Amino acid sequence: MLLLAAAFVVGFVLLLYMVSPLISPKPLKLPGAHVVVTGGSSGIGKCIAIECYKQGAFITLIARDENKLLQTKKEIEKYSINDKQVVLCISVDVSKDYEQVENVLKQAQEKLGPVDLLVNCAGTSVTGKFEAIEVNSFERLMAVNYLGSVYPSRAVISTMKERRMGRIVFVSSQAGQLGLFGYTAYSPTKFALRGLAEALQMEVKPYNIYVTVAYPPDTDTPGFAEESKTKPLETKLISETSSVCQAEQVARVIVKDAIQGNFNSSVGSDGYMLSILTSGMSPVTSITEGLQQVVCMGIFRIIGLFYLGSFDSIVRRCMMQREKSESTDKTE
């Protein structure tokens, strides 16, 4: 009886692997494709642009700093694989004026053709205790991290629907899967991208358009270095429980998942576990992906509870040390 049950399970899994490619989206071909990257002058955005350019894509870089854009353009052009490739630079703030964003993307499409892949990578971060963060920082982060992804996506979606093809990537964060100490201004903006992506994917899937949400871990970028300067002690200690990834590694994973049309994009074992734990009602692009979520959810939840307990312990320990230090200062 046990052998029969085991044979049934093995047969079922093999059937899933056979059927899975039939329901997966057709991979996007990057050679000759027009890829737009916001926040493309540095960090993960720049590395994504380089990765796509290496595979023969035409690139439109969008960022605020024109000097950085021109420097990045020169760096990207070193990876050209043919003399027809072009890197177009556009200096604009994607979070302020939708009409301006729409106009510059229209100009980009007139020069390089319709957008095949849009990567929303523009973002910023502020860390600190909830009551210590300026109120206008909450507004600014929501504008940059959320509306800065809404506006470019809104500007290209109609053309993608007309062509019945396209990819849109929202670069979130592991802080968009798990709320952590010090990220009360940042995390909500990244969680918001998940909700936008799920709703948008349901709308555009019939048009052969696929949405990817990327959840990179702490990544060695200029933005991360700047963020680290103001992190509370608790946030630093929690961050030390995981390693810092290289931007090039993260970019390769994001580009691969976007090409394949995967909804979730994560890096490393921690990223994989978080993606399973937070999958909820998110769409899947293969039956095997759904099966992995069903099978692994329970054990990963147990592991996740140990992580949460460890984080709570760090926060309590820091609070007790701070109170002890304050008490000592008063007695002196």
Side-chain angles (χ1 to χ4, degrees):
M1 190 66 180
L2 288 175
L3 287 175
L4 183 62
F8 176 79
V9 171
V10 172
F12 181 66
V13 171
L14 289 174
L15 179 63
L16 288 178
Y17 272 101
M18 292 171 63
V19 175
S20 179
L22 301 179
I23 66 168
S24 299
K26 185 178 179 181
L28 175 71
K29 296 179 181 179
L30 280 182
H34 181 190
V35 177
V36 175
V37 184
T38 71
S41 62
S42 64
I44 294 174
K46 181 177 78 171
C47 291
I48 288 174
I50 290 174
E51 184 65 26
C52 291
Y53 199 68
K54 285 179 178 179
Q55 298 187 41
F58 290 69
I59 306 294
T60 294
L61 291 176
I62 298 179
R64 291 175 297 176
D65 192 319
E66 189 170 358
N67 291 328
K68 280 187 179 180
L69 278 171
L70 293 175
Q71 292 173 6
T72 302
K73 172 184 167 72
K74 293 178 181 178
E75 186 176 344
I76 293 174
E77 287 175 338
K78 296 177 183 177
Y79 298 94
S80 173
I81 63 171
N82 64 66
D83 56 6
K84 294 182 180 180
Q85 284 179 274
V86 175
V87 179
L88 178 65
C89 294
I90 299 176
S91 176
V92 68
D93 187 336
V94 293
S95 67
K96 285 192 174 180
D97 186 342
Y98 170 71
E99 290 187 359
Q100 188 178 20
V101 174
E102 186 179 37
N103 287 335
V104 297
L105 280 169
K106 184 179 179 181
Q107 294 170 16
Q109 292 184 94
E110 288 173 353
K111 293 179 180 179
L112 301 182
V115 176
D116 297 291
L117 169 60
L118 167 66
V119 182
N120 292 291
C121 202
T124 187
S125 176
V126 171
T127 56
K129 292 183 179 178
F130 181 62
E131 68 274 17
I133 299 174
E134 296 291 336
V135 172
N136 61 6
S137 293
F138 289 87
E139 299 171 351
R140 180 170 61 88
L141 261 65
M142 187 59 75
V144 175
N145 295 348
Y146 179 68
L147 294 179
S149 293
V150 170
Y151 292 167
S153 302
R154 177 66 175 76
V156 303
I157 199 68
S158 294
T159 304
M160 286 186 174
K161 280 187 171 183
E162 289 172 4
R163 299 175 66 222
R164 293 186 178 270
M165 66 171 293
R167 297 285 193 274
I168 297 176
V169 177
F170 297 105
V171 178
S172 179
S173 165
Q174 285 189 352
Q177 296 173 294
L178 169 67
L180 293 173
F181 191 106
Y183 287 108
T184 52
Y186 179 73
S187 280
T189 67
K190 294 300 187 176
F191 269 88
L193 291 176
R194 160 76 175 268
L196 169 63
E198 286 192 7
L200 182 59
Q201 178 63 96
M202 192 174 289
E203 287 188 21
V204 301
K205 189 174 181 180
Y207 295 89
N208 193 36
I209 301 168
Y210 288 89
V211 177
T212 298
V213 187
Y215 300 103
D218 286 344
T219 306
D220 187 12
T221 65
F224 177 71
E226 191 64 28
E227 171 195 315
S228 297
K229 295 178 182 178
T230 60
K231 278 183 178 178
L233 176 60
E234 293 89 340
T235 309
K236 290 180 180 178
L237 292 175
I238 290 172
S239 296
E240 288 173 1
T241 61
S242 60
S243 58
V244 177
C245 288
Q246 296 301 308
E248 293 82 2
Q249 176 192 2
V250 173
R252 284 194 295 271
V253 172
I254 293 174
V255 171
K256 179 182 176 182
D257 286 327
I259 289 173
Q260 296 296 329
N262 295 331
F263 183 78
N264 288 304
S265 178
S266 60
V267 179
S269 56
D270 285 351
Y272 177 73
M273 183 180 75
L274 273 174
S275 289
I276 295 289
L277 281 173
T278 60
S279 56
M281 290 292 288
S282 65
V284 296
T285 48
S286 72
I287 296 175
T288 50
E289 181 185 359
L291 182 63
Q292 288 173 22
Q293 293 170 358
V294 171
V295 172
C296 297
M297 180 70 76
I299 186 65
F300 283 174
R301 178 57 176 164
I302 294 172
I303 296 172
L305 290 174
F306 279 101
Y307 270 97
L308 289 174
S310 172
F311 297 159
D312 286 340
S313 177
I314 289 171
V315 173
R316 283 196 302 270
R317 189 165 64 249
C318 287
M319 184 187 72
M320 291 172 63
Q321 289 175 351
R322 190 177 296 109
E323 289 179 344
K324 184 178 179 180
S325 177
E326 291 173 355
S327 176
T328 303
D329 291 342
K330 287 180 181 178
T331 56
E332 292 178 354

